[in-house]
Amino acid sequence: MAAQTRAPGSEKAKKLKKREYDEDDVRIRPGKGSRPRTRIRPAHEEAVSGFVVAVDRGRYTCLIESEGEKGRRRKKDQLEGATMSGRVVVAMKARELGRKGIVVGDRVALVGDISGMANTLARVVRVEPRTSMLRRSADDTDNTDGIERPVVANADQLVIVTALADPPPRPRMIDRMLVAAFDADIEPMLCLTKSDLASPDELVSLYAPLGVPYVVLQKGATLDEIRERLRGRISVLVGHSGVGKSTLVNALVPDANRAVSHVNAVTGRGRHTSSSAVALELPDGGWIIDTPGVRSFGLAHVSVETVLAGFPDLLEGSIQCPKGCNHLSEECALDAWVAAGHADPARLVSLRRLLASREGTPDDDHPVEPESPSG
């Protein structure tokens, strides 16, 4: 029997033979439903409830509730109507909140180091649903983004502080703030300061058709009326610089120590002394939120329908208006509605004044004398 001879290179060919793979050799990427990373976040059931009283460069100063309230959500009326005992904690925003903004007035859930000691930092892991949000735009002109900026959360009263003189009142600014209140579903109130320098009658009559409540203050007089209107509520104070807002805050909250300044005799404007919003607890219950003085209040984010909703006596008449009516043109059907006796003519004048204030016209950079209701 002849010996079998192996072909040259057969050993090398065997080594180069293609390997046979099975399922254990194949790495299969897991599907979306089975990836280790998940969007399911921890519930943080043991988180402590807090109230944001100040915001400064990514750090949130919160007042947390007393030990007996830990882990339980406090009701809104308890927070507003009672003195909130607790301690001050500085916190940062947790990563899972993403780009969600946090503003003064927010109710939040806190975890981590909530001792409140120096050099400690807690984490805000949840922002509770808001009851209201006061917003403003940076500007109304076409050269800006018109994006709304949140100012204060969960306020239920907007106190528009304006001086009757030094500096003189600016009705267009007041109108814009009223529109912002209607948009946020916050009850507005006029606070007229420096009545010892000028009479409030003309300005009061201007806003009488809107039914806006008001208080009149003067130097050295009692603050009982405004204290009563603020008691048990979360009120945000807004106004342009120099109207006496910080002075009022210091009188209402003796330990506030808010900086004050005087009006420039040349420009007639005040100086920005409050640099950031801060919530202050009132001795008799409730909160006031002092905001920096403003020289403009953009309303690019507010629609015509939102403003009109604040005038239920005119809302029905707007059904007959042409599509896209801005209620400022001659084609508007509201003139006929008022002529037929369905609404007070002064109400239509007020509506159009508010609508004109959000139209993007330049804000009142210079002091303006109050207008008459008929004008």
Side-chain angles (χ1 to χ4, degrees):
M1 184 173 180
Q4 294 181 353
T5 59
R6 186 170 295 178
S10 60
E11 291 293 337
K12 184 177 181 180
K14 185 177 181 180
K15 291 181 180 180
L16 296 177
K17 185 179 179 180
K18 186 176 181 180
R19 180 183 174 186
E20 295 180 359
Y21 291 91
D22 58 20
E23 62 273 11
D24 293 331
D25 297 307
V26 179
R27 181 181 178 184
I28 301 176
R29 185 178 182 183
K32 293 183 178 181
S34 59
R35 290 183 182 180
R37 185 176 180 181
T38 177
R39 290 188 177 182
I40 300 176
R41 304 300 182 189
H44 296 296
E45 295 180 354
E46 298 302 320
V48 175
S49 298
F51 181 67
V52 180
V53 297
V55 178
D56 183 19
R57 293 169 290 184
R59 294 295 182 262
Y60 306 94
T61 303
C62 306
L63 188 62
I64 66 172
E65 300 170 358
S66 60
E67 294 292 330
E69 295 292 338
K70 278 188 178 181
R72 292 181 290 174
R73 297 183 182 179
R74 203 173 189 183
K75 293 183 179 179
K76 177 175 179 287
D77 56 352
Q78 289 179 315
L79 178 60
E80 295 176 358
T83 300
M84 186 177 178
S85 60
R87 59 182 176 276
V88 176
V89 173
V90 178
M92 61 176 290
K93 183 169 61 175
R95 174 176 286 186
E96 56 258 38
L97 291 182
R99 301 182 64 181
K100 184 178 181 66
I102 301 174
V103 298
V104 173
D106 268 325
R107 300 181 184 90
V108 297
L110 301 166
V111 299
D113 193 335
I114 57 171
S115 63
M117 298 179 64
N119 301 320
T120 61
L121 198 61
R123 286 187 299 127
V124 178
V125 295
R126 185 173 58 248
V127 178
E128 305 297 351
R130 294 160 171 162
T131 58
S132 66
M133 174 59 79
L134 179 65
R135 300 177 174 89
R136 57 174 289 198
S137 302
D139 205 341
D140 297 328
T141 63
D142 296 333
N143 297 327
T144 56
D145 51 20
I147 299 176
E148 58 191 47
R149 271 79 169 175
V151 179
V152 169
N154 298 316
D156 56 18
Q157 184 170 235
L158 180 68
V159 182
I160 303 172
V161 184
T162 186
L164 294 168
D166 191 31
R170 296 173 175 169
R172 285 182 53 77
M173 176 69 80
I174 299 175
D175 292 345
R176 285 174 167 259
M177 293 176 179
L178 286 174
V179 172
F182 293 151
D183 174 63
D185 196 20
I186 300 175
E187 181 181 337
M189 181 180 73
L190 292 178
C191 179
L192 308 179
T193 63
K194 306 183 182 181
S195 62
D196 51 318
L197 302 179
S199 171
D201 295 342
E202 189 173 2
L203 198 61
V204 168
S205 63
L206 180 64
Y207 292 96
L210 293 173
V212 180
Y214 65 92
V215 293
V216 180
L217 306 179
Q218 67 179 21
K219 187 176 181 179
T222 177
L223 298 176
D224 291 344
E225 183 179 0
I226 191 170
R227 290 184 192 275
E228 182 62 30
R229 291 181 179 270
L230 297 176
R231 182 178 292 116
R233 309 189 69 173
I234 297 181
S235 305
V236 52
L237 276 61
V238 296
H240 57 83
S241 304
V243 297
K245 185 162 52 63
S246 295
T247 302
L248 175 61
V249 170
N250 289 334
L252 294 171
V253 186
D255 297 332
N257 296 323
R258 298 295 275 176
V260 298
S261 68
H262 301 284
V263 176
N264 189 305
V266 177
T267 65
R269 294 175 176 174
R271 178 183 177 186
H272 295 290
T273 52
S274 302
S275 58
S276 60
V278 61
L280 301 165
E281 193 170 9
L282 293 168
D284 297 332
W287 293 81
I288 56 173
I289 301 177
D290 186 20
T291 61
V294 295
R295 289 177 181 166
S296 65
F297 209 97
L299 300 173
H301 63 285
V302 181
S303 66
V304 174
E305 291 74 17
T306 298
V307 182
L308 186 59
F311 295 78
D313 51 339
L314 298 172
L315 187 59
E316 185 178 351
S318 66
I319 299 177
Q320 304 299 326
C321 290
K323 185 177 181 180
C325 181
N326 62 1
H327 307 297
L328 298 173
S329 61
E330 297 180 356
E331 293 79 13
C332 180
L334 290 178
D335 293 289
W337 178 263
V338 170
H342 298 295
D344 188 342
R347 293 276 289 171
L348 180 57
V349 172
S350 298
L351 169 66
R352 286 177 169 164
R353 192 177 71 242
L354 296 184
L355 289 174
S357 73
R358 60 160 298 281
E359 276 295 293
T361 53
D363 211 353
D364 49 340
D365 293 330
H366 302 285
V368 179
E369 294 299 327
E371 306 169 0
S372 64
S374 60

